[in-house]
Amino acid sequence: MTAPNTEDELISRALGARHLAYAPYSGFQVGCVLVTDSGETYEGANIENASYGLALCAERAAIARMILDGGEHPRAIYVASQSSPPASPCGMCRQVLLEFADDPTALRVIAVNPSGERVEWTLAELIPAGFTGKQLS
Ligand code: THU
């Protein structure tokens, strides 16, 4: 059985994951921890490239790890950056989270920074009326 993750532990892991970032161009390190509906956790950090537009955000790095590990649905994601107020996920990451969200109104997005600031939304608040695969049929 997976050990329960406390909010404080998850925040501290997201803050720590910033140190995994490869961000030599922006100097903006983002770390995150994604929690699935079965309680598994995956860390992510941003990975930049000399061709700037190829930067991979922390959130999408964590989602890739979740999918490759057989995870299906995120239920929370803790995102840590140096911004004040704490930075929310970019539009591309919101869309990718939406792809795997069981219920966007129940997927918690928690943004934090090292000063202890914390902001929380649901994914539905961050990407209202989002485009999903249902609209392709
Ligand atoms: N970044 C993330 O990792 N997540 C976001 O949601 C916003 C932006 C990264 C991408 C790039 O490496 C750096 O932050 C500056 O944009």
Side-chain angles (χ1 to χ4, degrees):
M1 196 179 115
T2 311
N5 301 290
T6 70
E7 187 93 343
D8 284 352
E9 279 167 4
L10 292 164
I11 289 173
S12 118
R13 281 179 60 192
L15 288 164
R18 285 176 310 141
H19 303 297
L20 303 173
Y22 174 74
Y25 302 105
S26 70
F28 190 76
Q29 298 168 316
V30 184
C32 72
V33 179
L34 183 155
V35 186
T36 68
D37 53 6
S38 51
E40 301 296 328
T41 58
Y42 300 94
E43 291 179 0
N46 52 330
I47 304 170
E48 298 187 343
N49 193 280
S51 178
Y52 295 171
L54 301 185
L56 175 67
C57 293
E59 297 91 326
R60 281 176 289 128
I63 288 167
R65 293 180 100 174
M66 177 196 81
I67 293 297
L68 295 175
D69 195 43
E72 289 182 305
H73 304 297
R75 76 170 147 75
I77 186 163
Y78 293 76
V79 182
S81 68
Q82 66 213 38
S83 290
S84 176
S88 64
C90 79
M92 191 183 286
C93 291
R94 294 175 193 201
Q95 178 70 26
V96 173
L97 283 164
L98 184 63
E99 181 71 23
F100 300 107
D102 223 3
D103 173 3
T105 67
L107 201 172
R108 298 168 59 225
V109 180
I110 304 99
V112 299
N113 67 19
S115 310
E117 291 180 278
R118 179 189 186 288
V119 191
E120 178 168 344
W121 309 266
T122 66
L123 184 65
E125 288 171 324
L126 292 180
I127 183 163
F131 179 74
T132 69
K134 288 181 195 144
Q135 288 159 274
L136 290 175
S137 51

